[in-house]
């Protein structure tokens, strides 16, 4: 019933509606598009290097004859998955750490918040840049973990401060007086009541992670060849952006569309879940 | 001639919410019109519409005439001249009415200068005069204080000072004392009366407290579902109500002068303003309803004696002389078996011995340092016997909730002992504590805040069962819902889908899930409307008798306490001032504080209110971080003020402890000069006994 109200409010919001439609189209493109195109992303057409878009290679070809349509969609799939995983891990971690710190207080709080502060002052980009090439040969999931590890801190502080006020709520006290263990109270009464915040945060984290991935991959610290992501494609394409614009334009355009549509949904969700926070 | 004339006022909010549907009334010079009604009946919206303070999306129609001048549709500039000059309003929450960054004196002076051409220093002088008039001590000094430095009662007085700054013709007071303690409420009402005499203004007094109206009003307007349903002189309304809703309302309030027997609740809930029943809006809850009531809404028609009633059966009520108790079904509450055993032979379920709870008082944002101690609870002792209800009463900040929390935590107290069902809380290990929680449960004040909004009711009630390893939860949940008078079919709904009274019943069901022996109730009915409150009180009484429970019960409403409790402990600043059976404490209070407290309660009885003499207390509750030496009450004690210098010594030097009074079995007071007197005349009902 509440979720229905929220959905109704979400779709009454024009921007959120556009965002949702755009995102659905983009996801369909990423996952169904490859079946429609004539080439596979690993295929190489040795008769067409760096050819402009035409009827055969819809989005042109790259330096070694890859079909840009297939490769870009493949890259987009990876970017979407990375975005989702990072957001899931980061928001989950933020919820757990923040809720435990806020609920238990005392030294638990001190230790956890000290960790948060430490991670916040560390130059995350630099650290990922240093570590990630060393993980070469390992799976790209390590990269996801690294990205997530530097995304959750701010949210966990927000979660902590909201937990501080939830802790004094009567239904939480009631649970304590019933003799329910404290970790259970956190997962049953505290975290679910932060769900609005967490949903919004997770949504915005997806776009943040996609951009983060692209930025790191651009400099060669992220996804490693032969795997592709929007970031690596943009990096390659940007080298020849003036002479062969299609190499750059398609991945970059998709990245912008993807991030924009997710952010529109995120903003719409914020208004729908939390009508008080006016924008 | 009347000052204010409201005719057929209606207010509609977007979404078809008809908040006010045809309100008409007049207020004359020097007259007090009381408006009563349940929450959501449109009392506040009516007065906001008169002041022109409604949000823009509200559609207002009808007419509001001040001295014959139409206010509705008047342009904003002119309205501003009227507002604050001819009409002033006093709100429930005085803090929001003051700007935090200016001193109180400046703000009152500002109010003067907005409407009168006056030099700054003269306005400041007038502000001090006004503050003096409303009884603020040392007005010269206090005028320089900021709003947050004032206590709630003082702020409300400053607000009154501001409201009367320009000699308004009409004062609209919306729940002016609801947020205040009774002794402070008595002071503020007294100030309002003075202010009225001073200015000769008419007053519109909005409140849900029928006692306050009985003491203040000349005429009363009863509202239900956005419409007036009865209007008449205060005596007519209180002694001869002719509309079933008014009758029910009056029959549902517990009385501090001790009428016994179950209260008469009005079943059901007020209708939602966007889905009104076709005929009489009260029909779904009315025991006198006949088929004709559904045909059309009965208009407010003149009735004998200058009053108006909106009920098709009002003449029949008049003719037969019916009262609320005749019309509404009086519930039957089975008697308790336990009370037949003398108290001394019953086992003790809860015992507190000199319990102490102090909080450190911290200062500084970055480097916190301890600057003092808040003596929240400072050595209190009492015990609760099996099958008994002990009520803890006192003003806000006297340590009631702290006491309850300390008991519920089952941790060793900072000082003294807490013994629950024979087990000392200081000697419990983890498992024993959890086991003891089965027998000790709590019901909270705010039924909304006490239920997790994201859980369906079945899960909420099942939670304690699951926590203690019960498996057969479904059947038990249904049984519990039935026990508290809710339908088991509603188990899958969420708390938001229930009304306040129903939510409180869910809270009670949850507390009863583990079949506790002792139930702690923290203001269980104070958030509910009177007609709903009666049902919950009856339920509590019934449960206690049928399940053999014991209650520890915190309340600030002394009438509810009188009705529900067997014994009562009066707290003042973290100490017990007086304790004993309800009859002893209410009929022969011995501590000056109890006497003042009892005399401050407004009685829903106009006749009695007029003849009553109040013991008014001076000043506010001292800070619990810095209690006075010796007797904590001495700064406000009327008796202390009358004592000679020599007699006062002992009050200043020595803290009195609770001593049993000579001629009573169960009655003690913590006063060096305890002396029983009668402050509330017993009602007829009581005298007969
Ligand atoms: N700004 C608003 N928009 C929509 N509905 C409103 C608005 N203000 C009030 N209402 C509705 O109007 C009805 C009457 O409200 P009102 O505040 O007058 O009640 P009341 O009698 O003062 O109650 P209480 O005793 O709780 O103060 C309620 O149903 C309320 O929900
Ligand atoms: S009109 Fe009918 S339903 Fe309404 S109050 Fe009178 S008797 Fe009851
Ligand atoms: S001890 Fe003295 S000051 Fe305290 S209540 Fe009694 S008379 Fe008043
Ligand atoms: Mg109101």
């Amino acid at each position: 019933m509440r979720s229905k109200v929220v959905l109704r409010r979400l779709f009454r919001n024009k921007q959120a509606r556009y965002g949702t439609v755009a995102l659905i189209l983009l996801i369909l493109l990423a996952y169904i598009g490859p079946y429609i195109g004539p080439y596979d992303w690993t295929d190489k057409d040795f008769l067409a290097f760096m050819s402009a878009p035409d009827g055969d290679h819809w989005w042109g070809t790259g330096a070694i004859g890859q079909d840009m349509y297939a490769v870009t969609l493949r890259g987009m799939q990876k970017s979407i998955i990375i975005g989702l995983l990072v957001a899931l891990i980061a928001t989950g971690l933020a919820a757990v750490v923040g809720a435990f710190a806020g609920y238990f207080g005392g030294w638990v709080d001190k230790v956890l918040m000290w960790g948060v502060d430490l991670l916040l002052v560390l130059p995350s980009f630099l650290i990922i840049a240093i570590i990630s090439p060393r993980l070469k040969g390992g799976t790209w999931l390590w990269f996801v973990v690294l990205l997530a590890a530097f995304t959750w801190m701010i949210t966990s502080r927000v979660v902590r401060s909201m937990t501080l006020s939830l802790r004094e709520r009567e239904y939480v006290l009631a649970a304590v007086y019933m003799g329910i263990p404290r970790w259970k109270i956190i997962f049953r009464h505290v975290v679910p009541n932060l769900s609005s915040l967490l949903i919004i945060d997770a949504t915005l984290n997806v776009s943040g992670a996609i951009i983060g991935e692209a930025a790191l991959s651009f400099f060669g610290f992220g996804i490693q060849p032969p795997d592709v992501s929007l970031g690596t494609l943009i990096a390659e394409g940007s080298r020849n952006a003036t002479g062969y614009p299609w190499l750059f334009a398609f991945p970059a355009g998709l990245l912008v569309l993807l991030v924009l549509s997710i952010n529109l949904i995120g903003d719409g969700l914020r208004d729908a879940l939390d009508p008080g926070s006016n924008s | 001639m009347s000052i204010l004339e409201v005719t057929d006022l209606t207010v509609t909010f977007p979404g078809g919410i008809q908040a006010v549907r045809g309100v008409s009334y007049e207020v004359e010079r020097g007259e007090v019109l009381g408006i009563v009604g349940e929450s959501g009946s449109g009392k506040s919206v009516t007065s906001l519409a008169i002041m022109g303070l409604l949000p823009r999306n509200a559609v207002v129609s009808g007419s509001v005439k001040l001295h014959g001048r139409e206010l509705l549709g008047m342009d904003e500039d002119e309205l501003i001249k009227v507002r604050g000059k001819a009409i002033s309003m006093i709100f429930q929450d005085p803090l929001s009415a003051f700007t935090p960054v200016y001193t109180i004196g400046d703000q009152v002076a500002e109010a003067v200068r907005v409407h009168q051409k006056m030099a700054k220093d003269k306005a400041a002088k007038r502000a001090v005069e006004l503050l003096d008039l409303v009884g603020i001590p040392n007005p010269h000094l206090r005028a320089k204080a900021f709003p947050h430095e004032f206590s709630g009662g003082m702020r409300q007085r400053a607000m009154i000072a501001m409201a009367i700054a320009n000699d308004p013709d009409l004062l609209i007071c919306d729940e002016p004392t609801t947020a205040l303690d009774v002794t402070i409420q008595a002071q503020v009402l007294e100030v309002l009366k003075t202010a009225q005499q001073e200015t000769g203004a008419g007053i519109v007094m909005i409140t849900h407290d029928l006692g306050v109206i009985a003491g203040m009003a000349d005429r009363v307007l009863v509202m239900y579902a956005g419409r007036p349903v009865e209007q008449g002189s205060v005596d007519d309304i209180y002694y001869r109500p002719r509309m079933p809703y008014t009758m029910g309302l009056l029959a549902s309030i517990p009385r501090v002068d001790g009428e016994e027997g179950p209260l008469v609740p009005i079943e059901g809930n007020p209708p939602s303003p966007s889905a009104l029943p076709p005929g009489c809006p009260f029909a779904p809850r009315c025991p006198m309803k006949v088929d004709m009531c559904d045909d059309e809404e009965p208009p407010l028609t003149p009735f004998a004696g200058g009053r108006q009633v909106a009920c098709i059966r009002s003449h029949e009520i008049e003719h037969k002389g019916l009262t609320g108790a005749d019309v509404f079904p009086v519930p039957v509450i089975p008697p308790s078996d336990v009370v037949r055993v003398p108290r001394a032979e019953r086992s003790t379920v809860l015992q507190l011995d000199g319990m102490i709870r102090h909080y450190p008082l911290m200062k500084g944002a970055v480097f916190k340092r301890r600057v003092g101690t808040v003596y929240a609870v400072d050595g209190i002792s009492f015990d609760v016997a099996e099958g008994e209800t002990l009520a803890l009463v006192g003003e806000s900040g006297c340590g009631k909730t702290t006491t309850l929390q300390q008991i519920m935590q089952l941790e060793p107290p900072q000082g003294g002992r807490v013994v629950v069902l024979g087990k000392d809380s200081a000697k419990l290990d983890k498992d024993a504590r959890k086991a003891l929680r089965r027998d000790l449960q709590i019901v909270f004040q705010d039924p909304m805040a006490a239920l997790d909004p994201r859980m369906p009711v079945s899960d909420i009630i099942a939670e304690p069962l699951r926590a203690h390893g019960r498996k057969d939860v479904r059947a038990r949940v249904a049984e519990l819902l039935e026990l508290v008078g809710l339908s088991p079919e509603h188990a899958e709904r969420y708390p938001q889908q229930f009304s306040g009274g129903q939510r409180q019943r869910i809270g009670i069901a949850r507390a009863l899930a583990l079949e506790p022996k002792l139930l702690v109730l923290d203001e269980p009915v104070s958030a509910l409307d009177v007609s709903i409150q009666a049902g919950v009180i009856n339920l509590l009484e019934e449960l206690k008798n049928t399940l053999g429970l014991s209650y520890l019960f915190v309340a600030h409403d002394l009438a509810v306490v009188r009705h529900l409790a067997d014994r009562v402990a009066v707290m003042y600043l973290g100490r017990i001032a007086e304790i004993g059976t309800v009859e002893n404490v209410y009929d022969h209070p011995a501590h000056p504080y109890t006497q003042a407290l009892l005399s401050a309660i407004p009685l829903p009885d106009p006749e009695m209110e007029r003849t009553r003499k109040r013991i008014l207390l001076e000043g506010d509750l001292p800070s619990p971080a810095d209690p006075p030496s010796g007797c904590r009450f001495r700064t406000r004690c009327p008796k202390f003020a009358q004592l000679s210098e020599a007699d006062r010594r002992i009050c200043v030097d020595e803290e009195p402890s609770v001593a049993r009074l000579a001629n009573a079995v169960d009655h003690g007071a913590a006063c060096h000069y305890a002396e029983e007197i009668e402050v509330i005349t017993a009602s007829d009902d009581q005298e007969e006994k």
Side-chain angles (χ1 to χ4, degrees), chain A residues 1-2 169-171 173-180 188-189 192-193 195-196, chain B residues 405 408 434 437 442 444 446 449-455 463-464 467-468 510:
Chain A
M1 31 130 258
R2 185 177 140 84
R169 289 283 167 84
E170 289 180 343
Y171 57 81
L173 283 182
V176 175
Y177 296 155
M178 273 173 223
I180 293 175
R188 200 180 294 162
H189 295 290
N193 280 295
S195 58
S196 319
Chain B
Q405 276 176 359
M408 289 307 299
K434 183 163 177 186
R437 291 209 186 282
I442 185 165
F444 290 97
D446 180 352
L451 307 176
D452 190 331
R454 281 170 197 278
M455 279 196 181
E463 192 169 21
H468 286 264
R510 174 176 65 185

Side-chain angles (χ1 to χ4, degrees), chain B residues 19-59:
Chain B
V20 177
R21 308 177 298 124
V23 170
S24 307
Y25 62 74
E26 286 175 22
V27 186
E28 279 171 34
R29 241 192 120 59
E31 182 187 46
V32 181
L33 174 75
I35 300 185
V36 289
E38 276 170 289
S39 184
S41 58
K43 307 181 298 275
S44 302
V45 173
T46 307
S47 34
L48 291 177
I50 293 168
M51 294 287 287
L53 292 174
L54 280 177
R56 278 173 191 283
N57 60 12
V59 182

Side-chain angles (χ1 to χ4, degrees), chain B residues 243-244 280 282-283 286 288-290 293 298 311-313:
Chain B
M243 150 86 195
C280 171
F282 187 57
C286 180
M288 293 189 69
K289 176 190 171 239
V290 288
C293 302
C311 170
I312 53 173
R313 298 185 67 182

Side-chain angles (χ1 to χ4, degrees), chain A residues 2-279:
Chain A
R2 185 177 140 84
S3 46
K4 252 190 232 149
V5 174
V6 169
L7 276 185
R8 195 162 356 105
R9 264 201 234 129
L10 181 64
F11 290 118
R12 215 183 293 144
N13 182 326
K14 213 194 247 166
Q15 296 182 348
R17 220 161 42 212
Y18 292 152
T20 317
V21 171
L23 185 67
I24 291 175
L25 288 179
L26 284 169
I27 290 177
L28 286 180
L29 177 66
Y31 283 90
I32 305 207
Y35 296 108
I36 300 169
Y39 293 90
D40 193 61
W41 75 280
T42 45
D43 289 351
K44 308 218 160 48
D45 185 348
F46 298 109
L47 300 174
F49 296 125
M50 312 281 253
S51 70
D54 56 33
D56 187 28
H57 294 287
W58 296 345
W59 291 358
T61 60
I64 47 171
Q66 326 93 306
D67 179 54
M68 280 315 286
Y69 174 75
V71 171
T72 307
L73 296 191
R74 166 75 185 186
M76 187 154 85
Q77 287 179 6
K78 183 113 289 165
S79 286
I80 292 175
I81 291 187
I82 289 178
L84 286 178
L85 282 179
V86 169
L88 215 65
I89 299 175
T91 306
L93 196 62
V96 171
V97 171
F100 272 77
Y103 190 76
F104 282 92
W107 65 267
V108 176
D109 183 27
K110 282 221 177 77
V111 169
L112 289 175
M113 283 302 117
W114 183 77
V116 165
D117 289 340
L118 187 73
L119 278 177
L120 273 177
V121 294
L122 287 181
S124 57
F125 193 88
L126 212 63
I127 290 185
I128 300 183
I130 295 169
I131 299 180
S132 118
R134 275 160 226 268
L135 299 173
K136 240 181 210 155
T139 98
W140 54 275
L141 287 173
W142 280 111
F143 178 57
V144 167
V145 172
L146 273 179
L147 264 181
F150 284 100
T151 315
W152 58 278
M153 291 85 70
I154 303 274
T155 317
S156 84
R157 297 190 134 207
V158 179
V159 168
R160 173 182 170 269
S161 66
M162 288 175 78
T163 307
L164 284 181
S165 74
L166 278 178
R167 188 172 69 170
E168 305 300 322
R169 289 283 167 84
E170 289 180 343
Y171 57 81
V172 175
L173 283 182
V176 175
Y177 296 155
M178 273 173 223
I180 293 175
R182 295 209 272 181
W183 61 270
K184 238 187 205 168
I185 294 179
I186 290 180
F187 285 111
R188 200 180 294 162
H189 295 290
V190 176
V191 175
N193 280 295
L194 297 171
S195 58
S196 319
L197 169 81
L198 297 177
I199 290 174
I200 296 164
D201 179 67
T203 315
L204 297 179
N205 272 350
V206 174
S207 60
I210 290 176
I211 292 182
E213 179 277 327
L216 281 160
S217 297
F218 185 86
F219 292 107
F221 303 128
I223 293 295
Q224 303 297 330
D227 228 341
V228 290
S229 73
L230 288 182
T232 59
L233 290 174
I234 292 172
E236 264 167 49
S238 66
R239 264 176 253 142
N240 303 316
T242 41
Y244 310 96
W246 59 90
L247 294 185
F248 176 75
F250 286 107
L254 283 179
L255 178 78
V256 169
L257 279 181
L258 196 61
V259 169
L260 193 70
S261 62
I262 296 175
N263 281 352
L264 285 179
I265 297 176
D267 284 346
L269 266 177
R270 172 158 47 215
D271 294 345
L273 285 167
D274 187 6
S277 75
N278 264 331
S279 53

